[in-house]
Amino acid sequence: MAGQVGSVAVVLGGSMAGSLAARVLSESYENVLVLDRDTVLGVTKPRRGTPHTRHAHGLHARGQRILEDFFPGFTDELRASGAPVGDLGEMRWYFNGLRLPYTHTGLVSVTPTRPVLENHVRTRVNALPNVTYLEQHDILGLVSTSDNERVIGVRVRDADGVEKVLRADLVLDATGRGSRTPAWLEQLGYARPTEDRVKIGLAYTTRFYRRPPGSFTDTWSINPVASPAHPRGAFFGLSDEDTCIVSLTGILGDHPPTDHDGFVEFAKSLPVPDVYDGIKDAEPLDDATSFGFPASVRRRYEHLEKFPAGLLVLGDAICSFNPVYGQGMSVAAWEAFTLREHLRGGEVDQYAYFRDIGQVVDAPWAVSASGDLAFPGVEGERTPEIEQGNAFMGMLQYAASKDQEIVKAFMRVAGLIDPPTALMDEALVQRVLSHQPAEGQAA
């Protein structure tokens, strides 16, 4: 251990964020307990508590680098297991119906199904000698000191229906967007965090197919990204060597159907034919299922003036992004890395921690929230900066279809390596402007 901070840490939630938090806490606490209401160890299929994991996911660039730091050899382990691993710029990207050229960026993307990816992470975390997963445990509430100044444990109900208290020096909430910490704070006499919301009315509809012979010879992922001009989108890629996944997306109530004919027709309506051509004669392996995502939500814990000691929050419980941007798991990894930095100084100062987590969230939130506000039907304040930024982003995406150097810069932002402000570099802006069509010329 780098330096022991406490005896027991309890993590609420055993998905990606909770497991990464446990990995970090294991360096500073004698024992780490990870609680989840489901069975999670060895699970490689979607489970009751995480229905969204059935749909397309990606771990991009920054997230991949952090997991490689936490678990040396992790990327090679995934590759050896048959998981899709490749360069982010060598996916087949379409923006506004225009294809970006394949571009080697050096940014690694990992895209197995999320349950498979999480199983690899949990297997590595569970192998740590001081981490224990307590499965099939319902979380009932927090336990605090008599003055509510400090959280000292959590009340749970185990698989046999027995209620008990688990004492802890630290409780970390990684239960996702359904987190009850705002309500628990209120019960303890504290203010709830304020929330920022962008209502998008998104739905994913996903179906798995047997890989068609001769498909995916030059890439492993084909992504026509939704835009204001073409608000339907898709993610079509290999999930392993023999299986491919198709996730169709629609916003503001334009949701992809689950029946066979409707699903295929929705794919046919996309601005490029790749997805429809790939599945029209392919063998489906299951029925299509949908998952709704009404709004992106950011909880502003960094604005709270009072907060009980012994309690932290991480992952989607802080900020749940529009999933089409593929940011969630990578941001959770980034937050866990930030937690590690704070633990190296001893017991975490929550106010400093939440301030730094807020700074981690700032850039990806700006990308997703501003991008969503480019769609006319999405409610929200469109400042001049957002409108100008979205106008420039359309120009940049057009220019990227013609210039690999612009693709590289764009993918560094998409992969959470560089902030969005990096796209305003003077030389890059001039490069973007040089590729714009002449007035009156079609793009």
Side-chain angles (χ1 to χ4, degrees):
M1 279 184 209
Q4 189 169 318
V5 172
S7 177
V8 178
V10 170
V11 178
L12 311 181
S15 290
M16 182 65 77
S19 294
L20 295 180
R23 163 65 183 86
V24 168
L25 292 167
S26 72
E27 298 175 354
S28 301
Y29 286 81
E30 187 177 349
N31 292 289
V32 180
L33 306 177
V34 185
L35 310 183
D36 202 283
R37 63 182 179 179
D38 289 344
T39 298
V40 295
L41 295 177
V43 173
T44 58
K45 302 293 183 184
R47 53 191 174 85
R48 177 175 60 94
T50 57
H52 61 286
T53 61
R54 189 174 186 280
H55 306 276
H57 281 76
L59 181 71
H60 298 316
R62 184 181 286 269
Q64 178 270 332
R65 292 180 181 182
I66 291 172
L67 262 67
E68 189 65 32
D69 180 35
F70 288 168
F71 313 109
F74 186 78
T75 308
D76 286 342
E77 174 186 304
L78 283 168
R79 187 182 287 111
S81 74
V85 178
D87 190 287
L88 185 60
E90 292 172 353
M91 293 179 171
R92 192 183 304 169
W93 293 102
Y94 289 94
F95 292 90
N96 297 301
L98 298 175
R99 180 174 168 178
L100 304 192
Y102 289 145
T103 303
H104 184 76
T105 64
L107 305 175
V108 177
S109 179
V110 182
T111 57
T113 62
R114 178 160 166 177
V116 167
L117 181 61
E118 287 187 339
N119 181 55
H120 278 271
V121 169
R122 278 193 290 263
T123 298
R124 295 287 288 264
V125 174
N126 190 52
L128 297 171
N130 61 331
V131 175
T132 303
Y133 280 82
L134 298 180
E135 303 171 291
Q136 300 181 48
H137 276 64
D138 289 325
I139 301 159
L140 304 179
L142 301 177
V143 178
S144 64
T145 54
S146 58
D147 58 7
N148 293 336
E149 293 277 324
R150 185 177 189 93
V151 171
I152 56 173
V154 60
R155 291 186 298 108
V156 301
R157 182 187 300 114
D158 66 20
D160 297 322
V162 177
E163 294 188 13
K164 54 189 173 183
V165 170
L166 300 177
R167 297 282 177 173
D169 302 299
L170 176 71
V171 174
L172 186 145
D173 178 8
T175 55
R177 64 183 286 122
S179 162
R180 287 175 283 167
T181 290
W184 290 336
L185 287 175
E186 196 169 52
Q187 292 168 8
L188 294 174
Y190 295 84
R192 288 173 174 256
T194 58
E195 294 184 351
D196 297 340
R197 286 179 175 264
V198 179
K199 297 179 181 178
I200 53 174
L202 174 79
Y204 270 85
T205 302
T206 294
R207 197 172 197 186
F208 286 81
Y209 290 83
R210 192 173 308 283
R211 178 181 183 176
S215 65
F216 294 101
T217 56
D218 62 340
T219 189
W220 79 100
S221 184
I222 301 169
N223 308 319
V225 178
S227 67
H230 305 283
R232 293 179 171 184
F235 299 92
F236 177 33
L238 295 177
S239 57
D240 59 39
E241 294 175 347
D242 303 313
T243 308
C244 52
I245 181 174
V246 181
S247 287
L248 304 178
T249 68
I251 66 167
L252 300 172
D254 178 29
H255 294 166
T258 56
D259 66 284
H260 174 80
D261 290 343
F263 187 86
V264 173
E265 283 301 308
F266 193 98
K268 191 175 184 180
S269 75
L270 297 170
V272 298
D274 305 44
V275 179
Y276 172 72
D277 289 345
I279 68 172
K280 62 181 180 180
D281 298 318
E283 177 191 352
L285 298 177
D286 61 0
D287 295 327
T289 58
S290 282
F291 176 77
F293 187 91
S296 298
V297 179
R298 180 178 184 180
R299 297 185 175 108
R300 294 284 192 166
Y301 283 100
E302 71 272 26
H303 292 170
L304 292 177
E305 295 181 357
K306 288 188 64 181
F307 198 85
L311 177 64
L312 295 176
V313 188
L314 188 144
D316 279 6
I318 288 180
C319 188
S320 178
F321 304 90
N322 179 342
V324 302
Y325 296 93
Q327 300 171 317
M329 293 189 293
S330 294
V331 172
W334 195 354
E335 292 173 359
F337 188 86
T338 302
L339 172 63
R340 175 198 257 178
E341 294 298 301
H342 280 265
L343 285 166
R344 285 176 172 170
E347 185 174 2
V348 174
D349 177 334
Q350 292 131 300
Y351 301 101
Y353 166 80
F354 284 125
R355 182 189 64 237
D356 288 350
I357 293 296
Q359 291 174 356
V360 168
V361 170
D362 279 342
W365 178 260
V367 168
S368 64
S370 298
D372 289 340
L373 289 170
F375 293 83
V378 173
E379 297 177 10
E381 181 184 3
R382 291 167 174 81
T383 64
E385 292 78 13
I386 287 175
E387 291 185 339
Q388 292 166 12
N390 283 334
F392 178 71
M393 185 58 65
M395 298 168 65
L396 182 141
Q397 290 168 350
Y398 174 80
S401 70
K402 303 177 179 302
D403 188 329
Q404 289 183 309
E405 291 305 310
I406 297 174
V407 174
K408 290 178 183 178
F410 183 37
M411 291 299 160
R412 286 185 65 83
V413 172
L416 302 178
I417 300 299
D418 290 343
T421 52
L423 299 179
M424 301 308 296
D425 172 79
E426 184 177 350
L428 183 66
V429 170
Q430 291 302 315
R431 199 171 186 114
V432 168
L433 294 176
S434 73
H435 288 290
Q436 299 310 301
E439 188 174 350
Q441 178 183 344

